[in-house]
Amino acid sequence: MPRLDVVIDIVGGAQLVSAYGLLAPGGSLQSVGWAAGREAVLPVGVTLGSSTPKAIVSVYNGGGLTDRQAQLRRLLALVGDGRLRVPVGWRGPWDRIAEAAEALSGRSLRGKAVLDVL
């Protein structure tokens, strides 16, 4: 399995621990949520022994953040350049929103859900 340079985790808990294991040397795990509501317990020694350290960064998305437009432009540029892939696991029309919500809340979906609103 290829190693990842950046992981953005919104779940926390055991998933955050698994995500850390996917990082390449010098990689960064961005923790932006804690939907799991459970502890993330890293195995003893997993953070040791790398000549190029990995990072776990807690990202604050609360009030006072003034550069959201700049952050969004940067993310879109990364997607446009093909350097950041956003997997879509479900796509459908707006009237199937209940199906999308069920797939997301049931954690049966790999990737994002996209609703077409045309």
Side-chain angles (χ1 to χ4, degrees):
M1 173 175 278
R3 295 296 181 191
L4 305 173
D5 294 319
V6 177
V7 175
I8 301 171
D9 178 68
I10 62 170
V11 177
Q15 180 167 308
L16 183 137
V17 174
S18 295
Y20 184 81
L22 297 174
L23 291 177
S28 177
L29 171 57
Q30 305 288 313
S31 175
V32 299
W34 213 263
R38 303 193 183 212
E39 294 179 343
V41 180
L42 294 167
V44 173
V46 74
T47 61
L48 304 174
S50 176
S51 60
T52 307
K54 302 174 187 178
I56 299 176
V57 179
S58 175
V59 178
Y60 175 65
N61 287 323
L65 189 61
T66 59
D67 63 346
R68 288 185 179 162
Q69 287 183 350
Q71 291 175 355
L72 181 57
R73 280 193 298 272
R74 176 151 170 71
L75 283 173
L76 290 174
L78 290 170
V79 171
D81 292 344
R83 295 173 40 208
L84 176 63
R85 291 183 304 278
V86 182
V88 175
W90 185 96
R91 183 176 195 134
W94 179 256
D95 62 355
R96 290 176 52 200
I97 191 171
E99 183 181 328
E102 177 64 31
L104 289 166
S105 65
R107 300 193 190 279
S108 64
L109 182 65
R110 293 186 62 97
K112 302 295 180 191
V114 175
L115 290 169
D116 295 318
V117 293
L118 298 173

